[in-house]
Amino acid sequence: MLCPAALAGLVAFFYGFVHFNCSKISQEICAANTTLMCPLCDQKCPYWPLSDTCTYAKITHLFDNEATVFFAIFMAVWATVFLELWKRQRARDVSDWNMYNWDEDEEELALEIIIDDDCNIKEHEHSYLRSTAVLLGVAATIAILIGIAQALVVYRVLATVFFMRSSWPFLSEHANTAAVMSGAVLHYLTIVIMTKVNRVIATYLCNLEKPRNFTERENSFTSKVFTFQFVTHFSSLFYVAFFLGRINGYPGNYIRIAGEWRLEECHPSGCITDLFIQMCIIMILKQTLSNCMEFLSPFLKYKYRTLKDKRSRVHSEKGSERHTTETWRQNYRLVDVHIFSLFDEFLEMVIQYSFTTIFVAAFPLAPLLALINNVLELRLDAIKMTRLQRRMVPRKANDIGIWLQVLEAVGVLAVITNGLVIAITSEFIPRLIYRYAYGPCAQGKEDIDCLTGYINQSLSTFHTQDFDKRTVVEESLYPNTTECRYRDYRNDDYSFSVQFWHIFAARLGFVIVFEHVAVCIKFIAAWFVPDVPQVVQNETLENKKAYLQELLVKMEEVTGELSHDSSPYRDLLEDLSLIERSTEV
């Protein structure tokens, strides 16, 4: 299913690539040699020309273009079709294995009764006190994970200042990009560490709930671990997408951390490239390093056990027993598997599905990276499961449990998030408003590009005399500068302009329209593709018919053996005849 998604992502990417040098916005940024931007830090940072970010603006156009909206809608439909096709596949598998009428509780009770007729049934338990404790534990864990994401924000702020003061010109010129990239690497390290911690916390909270059977325990454990992992993976991305550069204030009135360091700012061409860099680094590191560790861990354990066994063995068996005992030893040296061995595989795929659908508007190449990863991981998992690990013990199931609800929730969240990314993070709405309300085309000029002057319109002017006392500007390059530009829509008195409120209303309206359209398309796609194939439905009807016919034959055999003159059975025979007539009807 990743093939059409990867193809659509490549089309969206190549659309931006074809117009790489044709974007009017990029051309204006590259030609803005005289447009001086306000300093990026408070201490000894100079004014800088807008043209320094020419390459950054061109790269931004690769992902923030007109094709992004259609690609986001396509991915919403793709996610729905994917789940519907999986439901159809699940229906075929359940029918082939004859698991439609299987019930775990019934099978568990049957085994207990077979072992002991007077067994004590383990009843369902619920305690409001335990539920409150679990809820508080989950809330506290999520708060800690969000706090870690805020710590990454503080790191990027401090790293930007540090890189800005570097003696290396290349690093000082690209301080923001370097801070984002190093912050993404640090984010990946926190993901690796917190994955272990989240599992321990989820296990403790799951035991606190006292689930009745394995399925309840598995569902409880799955929901908690995925919630913690989702917050760990995406909390920093949500900040970059929706808060970066929007809560930092403006020159002379910056929002500061501990009253000292001001928050990060977005690039004049938008914040979507920062989100792209963050997602790209996390996905690449997670799919390369994590897969290497996933394969190398059982491989090294197997090699260590083999080497240890060879060193400890002094005498070897001879004759006909040698091959058999050696086979036993080889099986024993295989890495053991536990009851949640497949859980890691499920979690990895669901997290990858989240990366492929959530924020995919900012990273159209995510489905392609996921496809390449899965093709390679199929072979690695095959080698791992058949040569390095012991065989897993089969267990009955007629679905994938709570994972289906998780995937459906991710699909709905993806629609909301992509709508917000297009409306808030990208420059799609401001460009649209400028084209039809403020640009030259809105004034009747048709001989020039409709986005001419967009960059100048999107930058506000700040008078340098209004800098606060904490701002010390390096003026050696541009002395006697009386004003600088910054990215915002403000008047000369630094209040929001009419254009700001116009764009704000358009963004809000776009989010509402986009989400409703995407959700309607999802519902239509879900209705159009039935959950159960007709072949499976017809097979189920045939099985029910055969079962009822077999039951009717047995009833007729019972009625034939009973005597109609026997008074103790007369009432029973009348009931059976009624059942037969009702069955015929």
Side-chain angles (χ1 to χ4, degrees), residues 391-502:
R391 290 186 180 181
M392 297 183 182
V393 178
R395 186 172 60 88
K396 286 184 179 181
N398 52 13
D399 56 21
I400 57 174
I402 201 174
W403 287 114
L404 183 60
Q405 286 77 16
V406 171
L407 291 173
E408 291 176 342
V410 170
V412 175
L413 182 62
V415 173
I416 300 173
T417 305
N418 285 311
L420 292 174
V421 167
I422 296 172
I424 298 176
T425 311
S426 74
E427 291 295 301
F428 175 76
I429 299 299
R431 290 198 300 261
L432 204 64
I433 295 299
Y434 181 80
R435 180 188 295 270
Y436 295 107
Y438 297 93
C441 293
Q443 301 173 4
K445 301 177 181 179
E446 299 180 354
D447 54 340
I448 59 176
D449 194 291
C450 293
L451 293 179
T452 302
Y454 170 77
I455 291 297
N456 183 66
Q457 186 80 6
S458 63
L459 298 177
S460 299
T461 302
F462 178 77
H463 302 285
T464 57
Q465 62 184 7
D466 296 332
F467 274 124
D468 55 13
K469 298 180 180 180
R470 285 171 290 192
T471 303
V472 180
V473 184
E474 175 61 44
E475 297 184 349
S476 59
L477 297 177
Y478 302 96
N480 302 323
T481 302
T482 58
E483 61 182 32
C484 60
R485 309 297 296 274
Y486 63 99
R487 186 176 182 271
D488 208 342
Y489 295 93
R490 294 182 182 271
N491 298 315
D492 291 337
D493 59 350
Y494 308 123
S495 61
F496 288 118
S497 63
V498 176
Q499 188 175 355
F500 169 84
W501 297 110
H502 194 176

Side-chain angles (χ1 to χ4, degrees), residues 102-121:
W102 176 79
D103 182 78
E104 183 182 11
D105 290 336
E106 182 178 344
E107 184 168 295
E108 180 182 347
L109 291 174
L111 291 175
E112 291 180 358
I113 293 174
I114 291 173
I115 296 173
D116 184 7
D117 293 340
D118 300 327
C119 63
N120 295 323
I121 300 176

Side-chain angles (χ1 to χ4, degrees), residues 2 77 103 108 141 151 207 275 320 327 421 437 510 584:
L2 282 171
V77 178
D103 182 78
E108 180 182 347
T141 305
N207 294 333
L275 181 60
S320 60
T327 303
V421 167
F510 175 83
E584 291 174 357

Side-chain angles (χ1 to χ4, degrees), residues 302-564:
Y302 175 73
K303 291 297 182 182
Y304 172 75
R305 290 185 178 184
T306 304
L307 182 61
K308 183 179 179 181
D309 184 64
K310 289 182 179 179
R311 287 183 177 180
S312 62
R313 202 186 335 162
V314 179
H315 302 285
S316 61
E317 293 76 2
K318 297 181 181 180
S320 60
E321 298 180 353
R322 181 173 183 179
H323 177 72
T324 303
T325 53
E326 181 61 26
T327 303
W328 292 347
R329 286 197 178 94
Q330 289 179 357
N331 292 336
Y332 179 75
R333 287 193 295 264
L334 294 176
V335 179
D336 194 11
V337 294
H338 51 81
I339 200 167
F340 285 111
S341 293
L342 279 180
F343 176 84
D344 296 331
E345 305 294 337
F346 272 97
L347 181 63
E348 182 182 0
M349 287 296 101
V350 174
I351 292 295
Q352 185 196 83
Y353 175 78
S354 302
F355 272 106
T356 308
T357 53
I358 301 176
F359 299 121
V360 73
F363 189 27
L365 298 180
L368 178 62
L369 292 181
L371 176 62
I372 296 174
N373 170 80
N374 289 358
V375 171
L376 297 176
E377 191 172 357
L378 278 172
R379 304 315 313 153
L380 292 178
D381 283 349
I383 297 173
K384 180 182 67 175
M385 293 181 178
T386 58
R387 300 182 184 179
L388 303 177
Q389 291 181 340
R390 299 176 185 176
R391 290 186 180 181
M392 297 183 182
V393 178
R395 186 172 60 88
K396 286 184 179 181
N398 52 13
D399 56 21
I400 57 174
I402 201 174
W403 287 114
L404 183 60
Q405 286 77 16
V406 171
L407 291 173
E408 291 176 342
V410 170
V412 175
L413 182 62
V415 173
I416 300 173
T417 305
N418 285 311
L420 292 174
V421 167
I422 296 172
I424 298 176
T425 311
S426 74
E427 291 295 301
F428 175 76
I429 299 299
R431 290 198 300 261
L432 204 64
I433 295 299
Y434 181 80
R435 180 188 295 270
Y436 295 107
Y438 297 93
C441 293
Q443 301 173 4
K445 301 177 181 179
E446 299 180 354
D447 54 340
I448 59 176
D449 194 291
C450 293
L451 293 179
T452 302
Y454 170 77
I455 291 297
N456 183 66
Q457 186 80 6
S458 63
L459 298 177
S460 299
T461 302
F462 178 77
H463 302 285
T464 57
Q465 62 184 7
D466 296 332
F467 274 124
D468 55 13
K469 298 180 180 180
R470 285 171 290 192
T471 303
V472 180
V473 184
E474 175 61 44
E475 297 184 349
S476 59
L477 297 177
Y478 302 96
N480 302 323
T481 302
T482 58
E483 61 182 32
C484 60
R485 309 297 296 274
Y486 63 99
R487 186 176 182 271
D488 208 342
Y489 295 93
R490 294 182 182 271
N491 298 315
D492 291 337
D493 59 350
Y494 308 123
S495 61
F496 288 118
S497 63
V498 176
Q499 188 175 355
F500 169 84
W501 297 110
H502 194 176
I503 293 174
F504 179 82
R507 282 173 166 167
L508 182 61
F510 175 83
V511 170
I512 296 174
V513 173
F514 177 86
E515 292 179 0
H516 280 71
V517 171
V519 170
C520 289
I521 294 175
K522 283 174 64 68
F523 285 153
I524 293 174
W527 166 81
F528 188 77
V529 183
D531 293 349
V532 182
Q534 290 185 356
V535 176
V536 176
Q537 292 179 343
N538 294 332
E539 288 180 357
T540 305
L541 289 177
E542 292 293 335
N543 293 335
K544 290 182 178 179
K545 178 183 177 182
Y547 172 75
L548 292 175
Q549 289 177 344
E550 182 181 356
L551 181 62
L552 183 60
V553 170
K554 292 182 178 179
M555 293 169 58
E556 290 177 351
E557 292 177 354
V558 173
T559 55
E561 294 177 356
L562 297 178
S563 174
H564 290 272

